[in-house]
Amino acid sequence: MNDILNIAAYKFVGIDDGHELRERLLSQSRALGLMGTILLAPEGINLFLAGSADAVRKFVATLHADPRFADLETKESWSATQPFRRMLVKLKREIIRMDHPAIQPAAGRAPGVEAQTLKRWLDQGHDDAGKPVVLLDTRNAFEVDHGTFEGAIDWRIEKFTEFPQAMLDHRDELLGKTVVSFCTGGIRCEKAAILMHEAGLPDVLQLEGGILKYFEEVGGAHYRGECFVFDGRRTLDANLAASGHAASARAAEDPDIAVKR
């Protein structure tokens, strides 16, 4: 039975009490028997957690009680086994590393497009204004190799810190099109969309909730393959079913997260 609830969530919001918050979240997550990774930085929170449904939802409720995280949205999926083998709460400079300090998502989000709307655009071959839609995969090359949207642009980056230069190298190719940036859960494509707006590309949207939310809401339409995740499930198909079932610390090994043990 798939009785382990897995959640992924992030929010860009100012955090100035990182050390205190780390101790509180570590104590709460361990008391509930959860495993996974929580990253805290001045720019926000990023988490991947798994455990019993009751324990996970109790933890999310404690987060929602903090006004900063009251509207934190989670992406849910289920697995037969615990995909993590430890519980980590880490303080970082960024919750997803880009090394581009001018990007401050907490100061204002890039416009987004919901999964149902994106599917409709892909079905009809253009957006509602008749403009061509291009999908830009902001993930690392090895993740893309497990699966991506049909015809998506892939700049073959090895880590997210390479995205700003890749964007500058290819910027002119995106002019005149509606660009939808996407990633696993939404965090990288949000930073990427803000960067592209900063670079003078006006028609850039982020896919709200990333691939995982797209799978949850509309299934695998226009997507080929599976979605790589940094835990023991390895990849998820369009039904959010896992291909792997081994405990892993892979969330802590994401090159864009770079949690040191």
Side-chain angles (χ1 to χ4, degrees), residues 14 51 79 89 95-96 99 165 167 188 208 228 234:
S79 60
V89 183
I95 55 174
I96 192 71
D99 289 346
Q165 185 59 53
M167 185 275 299
R188 282 178 282 190
E208 295 285 2
F228 183 87
R234 197 172 71 84

Side-chain angles (χ1 to χ4, degrees), residues 44-55:
I45 186 172
N46 187 13
L47 61 87
F48 318 86
L49 295 174
S52 71
D54 183 62

Side-chain angles (χ1 to χ4, degrees), residues 8-128:
Y10 76 92
K11 185 181 180 183
F12 288 107
V13 62
I15 293 177
D16 58 9
D17 59 343
H19 290 279
E20 177 185 342
L21 183 58
R22 176 190 180 276
E23 295 305 315
R24 176 159 57 87
L25 295 183
L26 184 59
S27 175
Q28 291 171 344
S29 57
R30 286 180 171 170
L32 290 166
L34 302 179
M35 294 187 184
T37 300
I38 301 174
L39 300 182
L40 302 171
E43 68 178 7
I45 186 172
N46 187 13
L47 61 87
F48 318 86
L49 295 174
S52 71
D54 183 62
V56 170
R57 290 183 172 133
K58 282 182 179 177
F59 183 83
V60 172
T62 66
L63 280 177
H64 285 164
D66 185 322
R68 294 171 294 185
F69 311 126
D71 59 351
L72 181 77
E73 296 184 4
T74 62
K75 275 80 69 178
E76 295 188 355
S77 58
W78 298 85
S79 60
T81 58
Q82 169 60 256
F84 300 104
R85 63 173 180 256
R86 65 187 70 192
M87 185 65 230
L88 298 171
V89 183
K90 292 289 185 177
L91 299 176
K92 305 294 290 183
R93 291 197 310 271
E94 301 176 79
I95 55 174
I96 192 71
R97 186 180 174 192
M98 191 187 217
D99 289 346
H100 196 90
I103 302 300
Q104 299 291 333
R109 301 188 71 225
V113 59
E114 299 290 342
Q116 296 93 338
T117 300
L118 178 60
K119 179 184 179 298
R120 178 165 54 78
W121 288 355
L122 296 177
D123 287 344
Q124 66 193 26
H126 54 78
D127 69 9
D128 292 335

Side-chain angles (χ1 to χ4, degrees), residues 157-169:
I157 61 176
E158 294 185 5
K159 52 188 177 181
F160 195 49
T161 51
E162 297 175 5
F163 183 86
Q165 185 59 53
M167 185 275 299
L168 291 175
D169 293 342

Side-chain angles (χ1 to χ4, degrees), residues 165-199:
Q165 185 59 53
M167 185 275 299
L168 291 175
D169 293 342
H170 296 275
R171 175 187 173 278
D172 290 350
E173 301 167 16
L174 303 177
L175 291 170
K177 303 178 177 71
T178 295
V179 180
V180 178
S181 64
F182 69 92
C183 58
T184 307
I187 186 169
R188 282 178 282 190
C189 53
E190 179 158 357
K191 275 196 172 183
I194 294 172
L195 180 72
M196 287 187 279
H197 278 280
E198 182 185 80

